[in-house]
Amino acid sequence: RLRPEMAVIAIKYDSADRPTPHTCKNVAGIFQLKLENVRESFVVNVTANDARKTRKVEVVPRPAVREIKFVQKFPSYTGLSEEPRRRGDLILLMGSSLKLEVTANKSVASGHVNIIRAEGEAESVPVEVSRSNPAQVSATLELHDLDIRGFIVRLIDKHGFESRNEAMYRITMLRDKPPIVRVLEPLRKETKVTQRARLPITVSVKDDYGVKQLRLMVKHGNAPPQPLVLGTDQAIGRLKRVEHEWKIVDLKPPVGSEITFWIEASDGCEPEQGIGKSRELIALVVTDDEKRRDLQNRATDSITGVNETAINQEKLNRELGEIIRARIITSPKQDE
């Protein structure tokens, strides 16, 4: 049986007028021709001595992402509606879902999304191919970890070819910060109250996504703190001023006792709520006479402060008048 030393492999691309021949040597019974950067289909015509073989080769592009859209679905406790996102603006609250709508450059058979974490790929989410348009695929990513760094979309066509050199879409995960709580009233660290007192409390509370519950925490003696729920009719907004009249008489405290109190606010973050705490204040239980003296002293301090302010203002006005008169007297005449 005669084995030819040479063979001619002719390649004719669809856009070419004639084939391009390539002479190949016999290497261990194989005639090999390597084609690079092939972008269109072609016909192969192989001739070796009097043997001839022709075959059609169809060139198809690998699947790739042509367009991608993002929609963020916030955690239910935020009460926010879905919001579209741009590629460079994927800064997402932990617990959100990210919907992907991908348009490929061709019809695809399957695919998946690889979620990238700080330590590498850790989860693969399959895509759903549209029945009406196989070039449209979608997926939903559940984002519950702070270490998520981004994701990569991988597509596979009906020939089994996979996409290559896929872009990584970067994500920045944000933790829901706990509420910020401030007690606006009373101002003083320690407030003297009677056993029958009703202490007005004014609170400023702020949270990025709303406060679920506000509590007045009361610690009396050696007993553990007891909560009194405030503002439970509806969720408190992102920035809210809340007023409450605390009935200290309900505690029936003895004279001389100290009641420590503060305000706590919790958000709806799941699975672990964020809790914000105000500064601690003290309500000192005193007799009616001592409370009366305390009010008189405060009134005296206020009047004294007003008088001092008025005196200082009068002094400033007098000094300002002297400066103005001095400038008028010492100003040069126009003909000098």
Side-chain angles (χ1 to χ4, degrees), residues 186-206:
L187 294 175
R188 296 186 177 184
K189 169 73 174 179
E190 181 179 282
T191 302
K192 293 182 178 180
V193 297
T194 65
Q195 292 174 300
R196 304 184 307 276
R198 294 172 178 261
L199 181 63
I201 299 176
T202 304
V203 179
S204 170
V205 57
K206 178 182 178 182

PDB file of all heavy atoms in Angstrom, residues 186-206:
ATOM      1  N   PRO A 186     -34.901  64.899  78.214  1.00  0.00           N
ATOM      2  CA  PRO A 186     -34.214  65.993  78.928  1.00  0.00           C
ATOM      3  C   PRO A 186     -32.758  66.160  78.477  1.00  0.00           C
ATOM      4  O   PRO A 186     -32.122  65.215  78.011  1.00  0.00           O
ATOM      5  CB  PRO A 186     -34.305  65.553  80.383  1.00  0.00           C
ATOM      6  CG  PRO A 186     -34.397  64.052  80.320  1.00  0.00           C
ATOM      7  CD  PRO A 186     -35.165  63.741  79.088  1.00  0.00           C
ATOM      8  N   LEU A 187     -32.269  67.403  78.668  1.00  0.00           N
ATOM      9  CA  LEU A 187     -30.910  67.720  78.242  1.00  0.00           C
ATOM     10  C   LEU A 187     -29.868  67.251  79.255  1.00  0.00           C
ATOM     11  O   LEU A 187     -28.789  66.804  78.883  1.00  0.00           O
ATOM     12  CB  LEU A 187     -30.768  69.229  78.032  1.00  0.00           C
ATOM     13  CG  LEU A 187     -31.588  69.836  76.875  1.00  0.00           C
ATOM     14  CD1 LEU A 187     -31.454  71.351  76.862  1.00  0.00           C
ATOM     15  CD2 LEU A 187     -31.116  69.256  75.550  1.00  0.00           C
ATOM     16  N   ARG A 188     -30.215  67.349  80.526  1.00  0.00           N
ATOM     17  CA  ARG A 188     -29.226  67.052  81.562  1.00  0.00           C
ATOM     18  C   ARG A 188     -29.046  65.553  81.734  1.00  0.00           C
ATOM     19  O   ARG A 188     -29.957  64.764  81.477  1.00  0.00           O
ATOM     20  CB  ARG A 188     -29.659  67.677  82.890  1.00  0.00           C
ATOM     21  CG  ARG A 188     -29.723  69.195  82.858  1.00  0.00           C
ATOM     22  CD  ARG A 188     -30.018  69.744  84.237  1.00  0.00           C
ATOM     23  NE  ARG A 188     -30.009  71.213  84.259  1.00  0.00           N
ATOM     24  CZ  ARG A 188     -30.162  71.937  85.366  1.00  0.00           C
ATOM     25  NH1 ARG A 188     -30.349  71.321  86.530  1.00  0.00           N
ATOM     26  NH2 ARG A 188     -30.137  73.240  85.292  1.00  0.00           N
ATOM     27  N   LYS A 189     -27.845  65.197  82.184  1.00  0.00           N
ATOM     28  CA  LYS A 189     -27.541  63.800  82.470  1.00  0.00           C
ATOM     29  C   LYS A 189     -28.439  63.284  83.592  1.00  0.00           C
ATOM     30  O   LYS A 189     -28.913  62.141  83.553  1.00  0.00           O
ATOM     31  CB  LYS A 189     -26.062  63.684  82.873  1.00  0.00           C
ATOM     32  CG  LYS A 189     -25.641  62.349  83.460  1.00  0.00           C
ATOM     33  CD  LYS A 189     -25.570  61.264  82.421  1.00  0.00           C
ATOM     34  CE  LYS A 189     -25.007  59.994  83.032  1.00  0.00           C
ATOM     35  NZ  LYS A 189     -24.926  58.888  82.063  1.00  0.00           N
ATOM     36  N   GLU A 190     -28.693  64.139  84.597  1.00  0.00           N
ATOM     37  CA  GLU A 190     -29.500  63.737  85.741  1.00  0.00           C
ATOM     38  C   GLU A 190     -30.679  64.692  85.891  1.00  0.00           C
ATOM     39  O   GLU A 190     -30.510  65.915  85.836  1.00  0.00           O
ATOM     40  CB  GLU A 190     -28.659  63.730  87.020  1.00  0.00           C
ATOM     41  CG  GLU A 190     -29.422  63.292  88.264  1.00  0.00           C
ATOM     42  CD  GLU A 190     -28.543  63.288  89.498  1.00  0.00           C
ATOM     43  OE1 GLU A 190     -27.756  62.339  89.657  1.00  0.00           O
ATOM     44  OE2 GLU A 190     -28.632  64.250  90.292  1.00  0.00           O
ATOM     45  N   THR A 191     -31.849  64.128  86.043  1.00  0.00           N
ATOM     46  CA  THR A 191     -33.069  64.916  86.219  1.00  0.00           C
ATOM     47  C   THR A 191     -33.735  64.511  87.523  1.00  0.00           C
ATOM     48  O   THR A 191     -33.927  63.313  87.786  1.00  0.00           O
ATOM     49  CB  THR A 191     -34.050  64.686  85.052  1.00  0.00           C
ATOM     50  OG1 THR A 191     -33.411  65.018  83.818  1.00  0.00           O
ATOM     51  CG2 THR A 191     -35.298  65.524  85.215  1.00  0.00           C
ATOM     52  N   LYS A 192     -34.096  65.501  88.334  1.00  0.00           N
ATOM     53  CA  LYS A 192     -34.795  65.226  89.585  1.00  0.00           C
ATOM     54  C   LYS A 192     -36.291  65.135  89.313  1.00  0.00           C
ATOM     55  O   LYS A 192     -36.876  66.017  88.675  1.00  0.00           O
ATOM     56  CB  LYS A 192     -34.510  66.309  90.614  1.00  0.00           C
ATOM     57  CG  LYS A 192     -33.052  66.324  91.078  1.00  0.00           C
ATOM     58  CD  LYS A 192     -32.810  67.391  92.130  1.00  0.00           C
ATOM     59  CE  LYS A 192     -31.368  67.357  92.608  1.00  0.00           C
ATOM     60  NZ  LYS A 192     -31.088  68.387  93.651  1.00  0.00           N
ATOM     61  N   VAL A 193     -36.901  64.055  89.811  1.00  0.00           N
ATOM     62  CA  VAL A 193     -38.326  63.828  89.595  1.00  0.00           C
ATOM     63  C   VAL A 193     -38.962  63.423  90.919  1.00  0.00           C
ATOM     64  O   VAL A 193     -38.282  62.959  91.841  1.00  0.00           O
ATOM     65  CB  VAL A 193     -38.566  62.713  88.550  1.00  0.00           C
ATOM     66  CG1 VAL A 193     -38.017  63.119  87.199  1.00  0.00           C
ATOM     67  CG2 VAL A 193     -37.968  61.387  89.012  1.00  0.00           C
ATOM     68  N   THR A 194     -40.278  63.609  91.005  1.00  0.00           N
ATOM     69  CA  THR A 194     -41.014  63.156  92.181  1.00  0.00           C
ATOM     70  C   THR A 194     -41.606  61.780  91.905  1.00  0.00           C
ATOM     71  O   THR A 194     -41.547  61.269  90.787  1.00  0.00           O
ATOM     72  CB  THR A 194     -42.132  64.150  92.525  1.00  0.00           C
ATOM     73  OG1 THR A 194     -43.095  64.161  91.457  1.00  0.00           O
ATOM     74  CG2 THR A 194     -41.564  65.547  92.715  1.00  0.00           C
ATOM     75  N   GLN A 195     -42.196  61.221  92.925  1.00  0.00           N
ATOM     76  CA  GLN A 195     -42.789  59.898  92.771  1.00  0.00           C
ATOM     77  C   GLN A 195     -44.008  59.928  91.856  1.00  0.00           C
ATOM     78  O   GLN A 195     -44.401  58.902  91.312  1.00  0.00           O
ATOM     79  CB  GLN A 195     -43.189  59.350  94.148  1.00  0.00           C
ATOM     80  CG  GLN A 195     -42.011  59.032  95.055  1.00  0.00           C
ATOM     81  CD  GLN A 195     -42.457  58.632  96.439  1.00  0.00           C
ATOM     82  OE1 GLN A 195     -43.124  59.401  97.143  1.00  0.00           O
ATOM     83  NE2 GLN A 195     -42.103  57.407  96.843  1.00  0.00           N
ATOM     84  N   ARG A 196     -44.614  61.093  91.673  1.00  0.00           N
ATOM     85  CA  ARG A 196     -45.810  61.214  90.823  1.00  0.00           C
ATOM     86  C   ARG A 196     -45.488  61.804  89.457  1.00  0.00           C
ATOM     87  O   ARG A 196     -46.379  62.221  88.732  1.00  0.00           O
ATOM     88  CB  ARG A 196     -46.851  62.096  91.511  1.00  0.00           C
ATOM     89  CG  ARG A 196     -47.247  61.623  92.907  1.00  0.00           C
ATOM     90  CD  ARG A 196     -48.360  62.494  93.477  1.00  0.00           C
ATOM     91  NE  ARG A 196     -48.019  63.909  93.433  1.00  0.00           N
ATOM     92  CZ  ARG A 196     -47.294  64.521  94.360  1.00  0.00           C
ATOM     93  NH1 ARG A 196     -46.798  63.823  95.390  1.00  0.00           N
ATOM     94  NH2 ARG A 196     -47.043  65.803  94.263  1.00  0.00           N
ATOM     95  N   ALA A 197     -44.215  61.838  89.103  1.00  0.00           N
ATOM     96  CA  ALA A 197     -43.787  62.592  87.917  1.00  0.00           C
ATOM     97  C   ALA A 197     -44.241  61.938  86.613  1.00  0.00           C
ATOM     98  O   ALA A 197     -44.402  60.720  86.513  1.00  0.00           O
ATOM     99  CB  ALA A 197     -42.267  62.731  87.918  1.00  0.00           C
ATOM    100  N   ARG A 198     -44.422  62.815  85.623  1.00  0.00           N
ATOM    101  CA  ARG A 198     -44.596  62.418  84.228  1.00  0.00           C
ATOM    102  C   ARG A 198     -43.491  63.129  83.455  1.00  0.00           C
ATOM    103  O   ARG A 198     -43.581  64.338  83.219  1.00  0.00           O
ATOM    104  CB  ARG A 198     -45.968  62.810  83.695  1.00  0.00           C
ATOM    105  CG  ARG A 198     -47.122  62.078  84.364  1.00  0.00           C
ATOM    106  CD  ARG A 198     -48.453  62.647  83.918  1.00  0.00           C
ATOM    107  NE  ARG A 198     -49.567  61.935  84.523  1.00  0.00           N
ATOM    108  CZ  ARG A 198     -50.260  60.980  83.906  1.00  0.00           C
ATOM    109  NH1 ARG A 198     -49.953  60.637  82.665  1.00  0.00           N
ATOM    110  NH2 ARG A 198     -51.271  60.389  84.512  1.00  0.00           N
ATOM    111  N   LEU A 199     -42.476  62.388  83.091  1.00  0.00           N
ATOM    112  CA  LEU A 199     -41.276  62.983  82.497  1.00  0.00           C
ATOM    113  C   LEU A 199     -41.397  63.010  80.972  1.00  0.00           C
ATOM    114  O   LEU A 199     -41.482  61.955  80.333  1.00  0.00           O
ATOM    115  CB  LEU A 199     -40.038  62.193  82.909  1.00  0.00           C
ATOM    116  CG  LEU A 199     -38.700  62.716  82.393  1.00  0.00           C
ATOM    117  CD1 LEU A 199     -38.422  64.112  82.954  1.00  0.00           C
ATOM    118  CD2 LEU A 199     -37.564  61.768  82.756  1.00  0.00           C
ATOM    119  N   PRO A 200     -41.423  64.204  80.347  1.00  0.00           N
ATOM    120  CA  PRO A 200     -41.475  64.270  78.882  1.00  0.00           C
ATOM    121  C   PRO A 200     -40.115  63.903  78.265  1.00  0.00           C
ATOM    122  O   PRO A 200     -39.075  64.402  78.705  1.00  0.00           O
ATOM    123  CB  PRO A 200     -41.844  65.723  78.598  1.00  0.00           C
ATOM    124  CG  PRO A 200     -41.394  66.477  79.797  1.00  0.00           C
ATOM    125  CD  PRO A 200     -41.496  65.541  80.964  1.00  0.00           C
ATOM    126  N   ILE A 201     -40.149  63.040  77.291  1.00  0.00           N
ATOM    127  CA  ILE A 201     -38.934  62.589  76.605  1.00  0.00           C
ATOM    128  C   ILE A 201     -39.102  62.852  75.107  1.00  0.00           C
ATOM    129  O   ILE A 201     -40.132  62.482  74.519  1.00  0.00           O
ATOM    130  CB  ILE A 201     -38.668  61.093  76.846  1.00  0.00           C
ATOM    131  CG1 ILE A 201     -38.461  60.820  78.342  1.00  0.00           C
ATOM    132  CG2 ILE A 201     -37.450  60.624  76.055  1.00  0.00           C
ATOM    133  CD1 ILE A 201     -38.293  59.353  78.670  1.00  0.00           C
ATOM    134  N   THR A 202     -38.112  63.487  74.502  1.00  0.00           N
ATOM    135  CA  THR A 202     -38.109  63.726  73.055  1.00  0.00           C
ATOM    136  C   THR A 202     -36.904  63.022  72.448  1.00  0.00           C
ATOM    137  O   THR A 202     -35.774  63.201  72.911  1.00  0.00           O
ATOM    138  CB  THR A 202     -38.058  65.224  72.725  1.00  0.00           C
ATOM    139  OG1 THR A 202     -39.158  65.879  73.360  1.00  0.00           O
ATOM    140  CG2 THR A 202     -38.140  65.455  71.227  1.00  0.00           C
ATOM    141  N   VAL A 203     -37.163  62.230  71.421  1.00  0.00           N
ATOM    142  CA  VAL A 203     -36.132  61.391  70.830  1.00  0.00           C
ATOM    143  C   VAL A 203     -36.015  61.689  69.337  1.00  0.00           C
ATOM    144  O   VAL A 203     -37.025  61.878  68.647  1.00  0.00           O
ATOM    145  CB  VAL A 203     -36.468  59.885  71.023  1.00  0.00           C
ATOM    146  CG1 VAL A 203     -35.405  59.017  70.380  1.00  0.00           C
ATOM    147  CG2 VAL A 203     -36.597  59.574  72.503  1.00  0.00           C
ATOM    148  N   SER A 204     -34.784  61.736  68.845  1.00  0.00           N
ATOM    149  CA  SER A 204     -34.517  61.803  67.412  1.00  0.00           C
ATOM    150  C   SER A 204     -33.942  60.449  66.987  1.00  0.00           C
ATOM    151  O   SER A 204     -32.945  59.993  67.543  1.00  0.00           O
ATOM    152  CB  SER A 204     -33.516  62.920  67.094  1.00  0.00           C
ATOM    153  OG  SER A 204     -33.095  62.837  65.734  1.00  0.00           O
ATOM    154  N   VAL A 205     -34.589  59.795  66.008  1.00  0.00           N
ATOM    155  CA  VAL A 205     -34.139  58.478  65.556  1.00  0.00           C
ATOM    156  C   VAL A 205     -33.982  58.509  64.037  1.00  0.00           C
ATOM    157  O   VAL A 205     -34.807  59.064  63.316  1.00  0.00           O
ATOM    158  CB  VAL A 205     -35.117  57.365  65.999  1.00  0.00           C
ATOM    159  CG1 VAL A 205     -36.524  57.641  65.495  1.00  0.00           C
ATOM    160  CG2 VAL A 205     -34.642  56.008  65.533  1.00  0.00           C
ATOM    161  N   LYS A 206     -32.894  57.913  63.556  1.00  0.00           N
ATOM    162  CA  LYS A 206     -32.583  57.930  62.133  1.00  0.00           C
ATOM    163  C   LYS A 206     -32.057  56.567  61.712  1.00  0.00           C
ATOM    164  O   LYS A 206     -31.265  55.946  62.417  1.00  0.00           O
ATOM    165  CB  LYS A 206     -31.535  59.009  61.833  1.00  0.00           C
ATOM    166  CG  LYS A 206     -31.102  59.080  60.379  1.00  0.00           C
ATOM    167  CD  LYS A 206     -30.034  60.150  60.198  1.00  0.00           C
ATOM    168  CE  LYS A 206     -29.559  60.202  58.749  1.00  0.00           C
ATOM    169  NZ  LYS A 206     -28.480  61.211  58.563  1.00  0.00           N
TER     170      LYS A 206
END
